Amino acid sequence: MCGLTNLPYEVLANVADNLSFDDIFSLGRASKDFLFLLTEERICKSFVQNKIKFSNEARTAVKNGGGNARALRIAAKRRDALATAYPFTVVTIGFCDAYIYRKGILCYTLDDRVRILDLHRSAQEELVVSIPGLLTEALSNIGDNSTGTFKCLYYSDGILSCLYDASEEDSPAWLIAFHIKSKRILVTHELESTDKIFVRHNSRHLYYGTHSELGTDGYKKWVIYGYEYKTRKWYDHKVHLPDMVGSEIGSTICFELYKDSFYALSNQTSFEVEEIDWTSFYHCIRFPLNSPCKALLEKTENKSMWRRQHQEGPIDDRWTSLRLDEDETTGELRIIEARKEWYLGSSKSQRTYYTTDIIFPELVKDDVELGLLPDASPQDPNFVLPTTSSWVSAVSSDQTTSAEASSSAAADSGMDSSSSAAITASTSSTAAPDPDEQDISELPNIPLLRLLRKDDHPHHINAPDRRPERTHPGNDGSTQPTHTLAKSRIRTYHTSCSTFLDLVDDPHPADWQGKQRLRLRAGTRKLGPPLRDASGLIRGPNPDLNVALEEMYKVPPIAYWPKAQDLLQPNEHIDAVYKLMNPPTHLGNVEGTADERSFIYVTGGCDQPKALIFVGFDPSINLAGVKQWGGISKKHKGVGEGPHINGRATGCNSSSGSGGFQEGDEWQEGGAYVDVGEAHRTVSIDFKGKGREATGISGPVVHVTSGYSNVNAYECTATSDRGGSGHRGWLWRESAMYRDIGIGLYFGIDREKQNSGEVF
């Protein structure tokens, strides 16, 4: 009988082409005869560029013009590390007051500076931005507004967006965006409102939104503003979203830029509770970034965006998370939502992740040519866009006359306030009937209909069958231990490896004090063999969802990392990992965020800078100075040692060289975004009066407040000569703080010992 090992080289490669990415990697590790599947560049290129074409590893290989074999192994190890909750790297990055993290770029504030570090590219240097220097450069007419709060909002494509809100009564707030490589201020814009402000941008456009537009129904609505870097002008119209219900970004609504379009997604239907209702839907809109006009604004229809039936059971909304995610195989944007439900009236609540495609109605070209779509003329300030949802809202007159504040810069004053009502995705009293409006004859024929009132707006469709591959239920509480929401600090889901990965505070059962003990917790599943009927023929899954999930998938036990240990006889190596993840002097107030390869979290008291911990699942991330786990190390430099005293930067300088901040794959569009709430930093700027002595100081004096407590007061020395290197301007390079701290562990070689057949 002919086995796989006897097949010709080309035939075996064709067989592997029909396997999944994970199966290819498993086959390559099964025998030395199949090792070429993981090392042969030509074959690996076919696998990588077809199976995971839209992953970061595949894009890096395309950009570098090769390296597909390495990309395949890195992607497979990343998925395995996530699924087993076994990271490659854990490092204390530094100390901060607040931070944002996106696409591997960490921007964290400490005292009067913002520090920018490229972790995915293992940078050894970080860019340092002087906050008062930046404000002086961007706001030439800051005048009396020298005290306020500073906050980093968003980072992408080498551009950092920030918010400066003056603390004086009736003082303005400014949106500032700058390019870190060219040190060029791109946007300085005076804001009307900062209520729940968010920013999204790429290399060509910047969009920001606030939850500040008051509708006729008394509820606040979202309004979006757009800016083009090339023309240095704001678009003439605001984008009003009066029908997009939801105010909590990351829970009930989310916003993202993807393939030159702006997306807004909501999982809510009505501002008010519907007493009689059957069905919940997702609602999504999109419009081109370079042409935010009403004729090009698309909206999903209810019939294509079913979310759930209310009869499936109540939801614990505290656990709900909502985001848009790009599929590594197809490149399509999908909805990822986590819900904790008492499914079908069960006495146990269960967290489940649901994946849903975004389906927009097809645009009919003839309709555009015949003029059936509204006129997209930017000169019409009073048009109303017909909606395809069942929401009903009227455009208030104040939306058409609201004025917009502009910045002092002439380039930023081009937004015409007379057009502020443009692109209002709502219906008016004269609008055509809503195609999704429910006819009462379509509702279930049950006695409850007798209670239906005229002002009720019920929604109902016959629920489609849930697909097992789009539904991943987690632990229902029957398996111990369980973790409350307060103990589940970070909750993420990775579609690439069907894994939910959490950072949980799991105090040792024998510790009567219940001290913080952060651990990784992962639940994954693997697709089982094909299903067969009694005659041995391949069949489809059972129509019952619960049965189908049990048939199709193999679910290993929940994995925890680091391993548990005995408090009376602790293992020194495992204890070192626990102390790294839970710095003894910085406990409590844990917050964090994640991407597809890593996550960052902070821990520490409110009255001090927090420790910033990086957990990496990518074997290609190789931070300088990180020590092998279990190796011999006489001493680690930590808090109070080295150039960063007490976690504060005192100006360790280094010349530019290899391993510094670079622009690379992290600028690719379509990456996942996770919204992060940050503590405010209060920065007061006291300019030196004319004729006053300013020895060694060429900028303002800075007073910093983080959260609610006063931290310290420093003088700005952004342009002074320190250590003979001569800083000039408000942005410069320094050695990365993690190199001076020197606390970190690498677990790659230990993993290799456990899997001796693995190609590293």
Side-chain angles (χ1 to χ4, degrees):
M1 182 177 180
C2 181
L4 287 176
T5 56
N6 297 324
L7 292 177
Y9 175 91
E10 294 81 2
V11 175
L12 184 58
N14 288 332
V15 171
D17 273 333
N18 293 282
L19 300 177
S20 68
F21 178 83
D22 294 327
D23 289 340
I24 291 173
F25 190 71
S26 298
L27 179 61
R29 296 174 58 190
S31 170
K32 292 183 178 180
D33 296 325
F34 305 140
L35 193 59
F36 71 93
L37 296 174
L38 309 181
T39 57
E40 173 60 43
E41 177 67 18
R42 182 178 63 84
I43 293 178
C44 291
K45 180 179 180 180
S46 175
F47 296 155
V48 169
Q49 300 304 326
N50 288 287
K51 306 292 184 181
I52 54 170
K53 182 178 181 180
F54 297 93
S55 66
N56 285 300
E57 293 84 1
R59 286 169 168 164
T60 300
V62 170
K63 182 177 180 180
N64 295 337
N68 289 278
R70 182 173 184 269
L72 183 148
R73 297 193 295 271
I74 290 175
K77 292 182 179 183
R78 167 177 58 86
R79 293 184 175 193
D80 180 71
L82 291 167
T84 58
Y86 196 175
F88 281 90
T89 307
V90 179
V91 181
T92 299
I93 294 299
F95 301 87
C96 70
D97 300 316
Y99 80 99
I100 59 173
Y101 183 60
R102 186 174 185 272
K103 293 185 177 181
I105 306 297
L106 174 66
C107 305
Y108 62 105
T109 55
L110 181 64
D111 297 330
D112 63 336
R113 292 166 188 171
V114 179
R115 310 178 75 87
I116 306 171
L117 178 64
D118 187 348
L119 287 169
H120 282 185
R121 295 176 67 88
S122 307
Q124 299 183 30
E125 294 180 337
E126 55 191 5
L127 294 177
V128 183
V129 179
S130 167
I131 295 175
L134 169 64
L135 296 179
T136 303
E137 180 76 13
L139 305 174
S140 57
N141 63 339
I142 191 171
D144 297 331
N145 303 310
S146 58
T147 302
T149 59
F150 183 88
K151 182 179 181 181
C152 296
L153 295 176
Y154 192 72
Y155 183 92
S156 181
D157 295 271
I159 299 170
L160 179 62
S161 298
C162 310
L163 171 68
Y164 176 66
D165 191 357
S167 59
E168 297 293 332
E169 188 176 357
D170 298 328
S171 295
W174 284 276
L175 173 66
I176 303 171
F178 62 94
H179 192 272
I180 61 173
K181 188 175 182 180
S182 63
K183 302 181 183 180
R184 187 160 60 98
I185 306 295
L186 301 178
V187 176
T188 303
H189 181 64
E190 189 174 323
L191 300 169
E192 289 183 356
S193 172
T194 60
D195 190 7
K196 296 185 182 294
I197 186 171
F198 72 89
V199 176
R200 303 289 183 269
H201 58 70
N202 57 21
S203 60
R204 297 178 296 278
H205 300 89
L206 179 146
Y207 277 80
Y208 81 90
T210 58
H211 194 243
S212 57
E213 201 80 10
L214 190 63
T216 56
D217 55 3
Y219 291 99
K220 285 188 176 182
K221 313 297 174 65
W222 291 99
V223 58
I224 315 298
Y225 306 80
Y227 180 85
E228 186 178 16
Y229 297 135
K230 184 177 181 180
T231 61
R232 297 187 63 83
K233 291 183 179 180
W234 293 92
Y235 286 107
D236 291 336
H237 304 108
K238 300 177 184 178
V239 181
H240 294 276
L241 303 177
D243 301 327
M244 292 297 288
V245 183
S247 60
E248 297 299 325
I249 298 179
S251 179
T252 59
I253 198 168
C254 64
F255 305 94
E256 191 57 81
L257 306 187
Y258 178 72
K259 290 185 177 178
D260 296 324
S261 292
F262 182 96
Y263 283 76
L265 171 70
S266 172
N267 58 13
Q268 305 292 301
T269 298
S270 175
F271 290 98
E272 297 180 351
V273 176
E274 295 291 346
E275 297 295 338
I276 301 177
D277 206 1
W278 283 267
T279 308
S280 175
F281 304 94
Y282 294 108
H283 306 282
C284 187
I285 64 102
R286 69 179 177 187
F287 57 84
L289 295 178
N290 60 358
S291 183
C293 68
K294 61 176 184 177
L296 298 179
L297 189 145
E298 301 176 70
K299 204 168 196 176
T300 57
E301 297 178 345
N302 284 351
K303 63 182 180 181
S304 304
M305 299 298 293
W306 175 72
R307 179 176 177 245
R308 72 189 300 268
Q309 299 296 100
H310 296 314
Q311 68 181 13
E312 293 182 1
I315 302 176
D316 187 345
D317 290 327
R318 300 174 303 164
W319 291 81
T320 301
S321 65
L322 181 71
R323 65 183 175 92
L324 293 168
D325 177 73
E326 182 184 23
D327 185 83
E328 288 190 352
T329 301
T330 65
E332 296 296 326
L333 203 62
R334 303 176 301 177
I335 301 169
I336 307 295
E337 184 183 26
R339 301 195 295 266
K340 193 165 189 178
E341 306 162 303
W342 285 266
Y343 191 68
L344 298 179
S346 173
S347 61
K348 300 176 181 178
S349 61
Q350 185 174 35
R351 180 166 51 127
T352 304
Y353 283 92
Y354 298 95
T355 305
T356 307
D357 292 327
I358 302 175
I359 302 175
F360 287 95
E362 294 185 5
L363 296 178
V364 181
K365 184 177 181 181
D366 292 340
D367 290 346
V368 180
E369 294 175 350
L370 294 175
L372 299 182
L373 290 178
D375 183 15
S377 172
Q379 304 302 324
D380 179 11
N382 298 312
F383 64 78
V384 177
L385 181 69
T387 181
T388 59
S389 93
S390 59
W391 311 320
V392 179
S393 177
V395 182
S396 61
S397 60
D398 60 326
Q399 289 176 337
T400 62
T401 59
S402 59
E404 175 186 341
S406 60
S407 68
S408 58
D412 293 340
S413 61
M415 186 180 292
D416 186 1
S417 61
S418 65
S419 60
S420 63
I423 316 179
T424 304
S426 64
T427 58
S428 67
S429 58
T430 59
D434 192 330
D436 279 341
E437 194 70 31
Q438 293 291 343
D439 191 311
I440 191 172
S441 62
E442 300 178 0
L443 301 177
N445 186 17
I446 58 177
L448 187 63
L449 280 183
R450 300 174 185 175
L451 303 177
L452 196 64
R453 298 174 299 179
K454 184 178 180 180
D455 56 348
D456 288 332
H457 302 284
H459 307 82
H460 176 268
I461 64 170
N462 294 324
D465 294 332
R466 290 199 184 277
R467 297 168 57 182
E469 64 272 19
R470 300 297 181 90
T471 308
H472 189 174
N475 183 16
D476 62 359
S478 59
T479 303
Q480 297 294 328
T482 59
H483 303 280
T484 64
L485 180 65
K487 296 295 186 181
S488 302
R489 302 300 188 176
I490 304 177
R491 307 181 305 277
T492 63
Y493 185 74
H494 299 269
T495 56
S496 62
C497 52
S498 297
T499 299
F500 59 84
L501 181 67
D502 303 338
L503 179 70
V504 298
D505 186 359
D506 183 28
H508 197 284
D511 183 5
W512 64 273
Q513 292 179 320
K515 293 181 180 179
Q516 173 180 303
R517 189 179 71 153
L518 297 177
R519 305 176 73 191
L520 303 180
R521 176 182 181 270
T524 189
R525 64 181 185 180
K526 299 292 184 182
L527 190 64
L531 302 177
R532 299 182 182 275
D533 58 19
S535 60
L537 299 177
I538 296 178
R539 63 171 177 86
N542 192 290
D544 184 273
L545 178 62
N546 292 328
V547 176
L549 289 170
E550 292 181 2
E551 289 180 338
M552 294 177 59
Y553 295 98
K554 295 181 178 180
V555 182
I558 300 295
Y560 283 87
W561 187 91
K563 298 179 181 179
Q565 63 172 342
D566 187 352
L567 290 182
L568 299 179
Q569 296 179 341
N571 181 292
E572 62 175 336
H573 299 309
I574 298 178
D575 189 59
V577 181
Y578 276 114
K579 289 182 178 179
L580 176 58
M581 297 184 66
N582 305 271
T585 58
H586 291 73
L587 299 177
N589 305 297
V590 179
E591 297 176 355
T593 188
D595 61 15
E596 76 286 350
R597 289 192 268 180
S598 58
F599 62 71
I600 283 278
Y601 67 90
V602 292
T603 175
C606 297
D607 58 345
Q608 62 179 349
K610 297 181 180 180
L612 194 58
I613 311 298
F614 171 76
V615 181
F617 298 89
D618 187 341
S620 66
I621 298 176
N622 183 24
L623 300 178
V626 175
K627 300 170 179 61
Q628 173 62 39
W629 182 57
I632 300 176
S633 177
K634 293 183 179 180
K635 185 178 181 182
H636 295 293
K637 290 186 292 183
V639 180
E641 302 179 52
H644 299 281
I645 305 300
N646 294 326
R648 301 188 177 283
T650 59
C652 176
N653 305 314
S654 65
S655 59
S656 301
S658 61
F661 195 93
Q662 303 179 42
E663 294 191 22
D665 298 329
E666 65 275 8
W667 317 137
Q668 296 166 358
E669 299 176 9
Y673 168 76
V674 182
D675 189 71
V676 181
E678 298 179 57
H680 285 294
R681 288 171 45 81
T682 301
V683 181
S684 65
I685 306 176
D686 301 330
F687 288 93
K688 292 290 182 180
K690 189 173 183 180
R692 294 184 181 178
E693 184 179 0
T695 306
I697 301 175
S698 56
V701 178
V702 180
H703 306 281
V704 182
T705 300
S706 175
Y708 304 101
S709 303
N710 185 27
V711 176
N712 212 324
Y714 283 87
E715 293 182 345
C716 175
T717 55
T719 57
S720 63
D721 188 0
R722 299 186 308 172
S725 62
H727 289 311
R728 295 185 179 181
W730 48 271
L731 188 150
W732 65 91
R733 292 178 183 268
E734 284 186 5
S735 175
M737 191 184 296
Y738 75 84
R739 298 184 63 189
D740 300 322
I741 296 173
I743 301 179
L745 295 173
Y746 177 72
F747 303 92
I749 298 179
D750 177 69
R751 179 186 276 100
E752 190 178 46
K753 292 178 181 178
Q754 297 180 20
N755 304 284
S756 57
E758 182 177 343
V759 179
F760 191 75

